[in-house]
Amino acid sequence: MNAPSAPAVKVGAVVLTMGNRPAELRALLESVAKQDGDPIEVVVVGNGSPLPPIAVPGLTVRTVELSENVGIPAGRNVGIEAFGPAGREADILLFLDDDGLLPGQDTAELCRQAFAADPKLGIISFRIADPDTGVTQRRHVPRLRASDPMRSSRVTTFLGGANAVRTRVFAEAGLLPDEFFYAHEETDLAWRALDAGWMIDYRADMVLHHPTTAPSRHAVYHRMVARNRVWLARRNLPAPLVPVYLGVWLLLTLARRPSLPALRAWFGGFREGWTTPCGPRRPMKWRTVWRLTRLGRPPVI
């Protein structure tokens, strides 16, 4: 008598768009359609923008149009919930920037294999590389020792627009923080996932092509980065570590010598982080602090 075959692993994908990159979006979806293995169902979320009909041969695409720009984490949460509560209708969800592209056809299959091989693996962060130069920016390697982007490793956070998440993580740790709008939402989820016992891998062999950019291109960058850094600490860190973590980041910000307008925006956001609601506070366990430390990034930096 033949042994029963393992159930198929369902992979979905969430793509958030402002509707201003139609050619890049189509190229991304075509690269998803070419992935090895079972077909991937995609949800495209129009974040405050209408979406044209999207038809890509070999790909099932559903669209959700939001009447306003709700921000990156809330928009991605809409995409997650399109796969049922906490995304439970899929086993794995890919999150891909709308101007990115999967150059390899084996990325989804590598994800399936990685999650199957490691039951405690919850999140995979892909390597982002410029399509013309092949260069991976240092900020796109989610660890302190980032000089070698070709080295895969366990990490403590991940890249928001180039990753794969086991949907059980959302069921146990919750979704992305809607309140953040932009910046640090990945670290908030990563810390909660680690606190729930999941692990995170950076995989250099799983690549998303994406043009080289600077995060400061966003007008709200300095304010959001500072505000959300405070919220991140207030929500997740044990009380004794909150002033240490924020004090270190204050010193690092000053050491980088930002322009006066940028510094004003940063301090405005820092103040806003203390004076506005940040969502529920669920401080991580001290054993999670030790786990982060052993992984090379104690939660004070």
Side-chain angles (χ1 to χ4, degrees):
M1 184 175 179
N2 293 330
S5 59
V9 175
K10 181 176 179 180
V11 178
V14 174
V15 179
L16 188 65
T17 183
M18 299 287 291
N20 55 351
R21 299 167 176 153
E24 292 89 340
L25 174 60
R26 182 169 184 84
L28 168 67
L29 296 178
E30 289 174 348
S31 74
V32 173
K34 295 175 183 176
Q35 292 298 299
D36 298 335
D38 292 337
I40 298 171
E41 182 179 342
V42 180
V43 170
V44 177
V45 179
N47 203 1
S49 64
L51 295 172
I54 300 173
V56 176
L59 194 67
T60 300
V61 180
R62 289 186 286 153
T63 59
V64 180
E65 294 183 0
L66 304 179
S67 59
E68 61 178 321
N69 180 358
V70 297
I72 293 173
R76 286 185 176 140
N77 285 342
V78 168
I80 295 169
E81 297 281 284
F83 288 92
R88 67 185 181 193
E89 294 171 9
D91 300 293
I92 301 166
L93 287 179
L94 311 180
F95 294 86
L96 306 170
D97 275 349
D98 65 343
D99 57 344
L101 185 142
L102 295 172
Q105 297 184 16
D106 61 347
T107 303
E109 190 60 30
L110 287 172
C111 288
R112 292 185 185 98
Q113 294 170 7
F115 285 121
D118 186 350
K120 297 309 296 179
L121 179 61
I123 303 172
I124 298 172
S125 191
F126 301 163
R127 180 169 62 89
I128 294 179
D130 184 274
D132 297 322
T133 66
V135 171
T136 296
Q137 292 179 271
R138 188 181 181 90
R139 69 185 182 90
H140 284 153
V141 182
R143 59 177 178 244
L144 290 179
R145 295 179 178 178
S147 60
D148 182 8
M150 302 307 294
R151 178 173 66 87
S152 299
S153 69
R154 293 282 201 203
V155 289
T156 60
T157 188
F158 63 99
L159 307 175
N163 68 80
V165 182
R166 194 193 299 265
T167 54
R168 282 177 53 202
V169 171
F170 298 126
E172 296 182 15
L175 302 182
L176 294 158
D178 285 353
E179 304 92 334
F180 280 40
F181 196 86
Y182 164 77
H184 301 321
E185 66 271 9
E186 302 92 352
T187 300
D188 186 88
L189 174 59
W191 283 1
R192 285 183 281 119
L194 288 162
D195 199 48
W198 296 101
M199 300 301 290
I200 305 169
D201 278 357
Y202 166 73
R203 287 284 297 264
D205 57 333
M206 302 183 190
V207 181
L208 182 85
H209 277 172
H210 188 282
T212 298
T213 58
S216 55
R217 70 191 185 280
H218 299 288
V220 296
Y221 171 76
H222 296 286
R223 179 174 70 87
M224 292 290 189
V225 162
R227 183 198 68 181
N228 292 0
R229 185 77 72 183
V230 177
W231 282 359
L232 182 68
R234 288 175 58 196
R235 285 164 58 97
N236 295 288
L237 290 181
L241 294 185
V242 172
V244 179
Y245 176 81
L246 295 175
V248 167
W249 278 104
L250 172 61
L251 293 174
L252 285 173
T253 300
L254 295 174
R256 291 168 179 167
R257 298 185 179 183
S259 67
L260 187 57
L263 197 58
R264 285 174 178 160
W266 193 93
F267 274 109
F270 192 80
R271 182 170 55 251
E272 184 181 350
W274 286 108
T275 58
T276 55
C278 63
R281 172 168 166 76
R282 299 188 182 94
M284 66 178 65
K285 307 173 191 72
W286 282 103
R287 68 169 177 250
T288 305
V289 173
W290 176 236
R291 174 186 285 184
L292 287 161
T293 302
R294 286 190 292 112
L295 289 170
R297 189 149 197 167
V300 293
I301 188 169

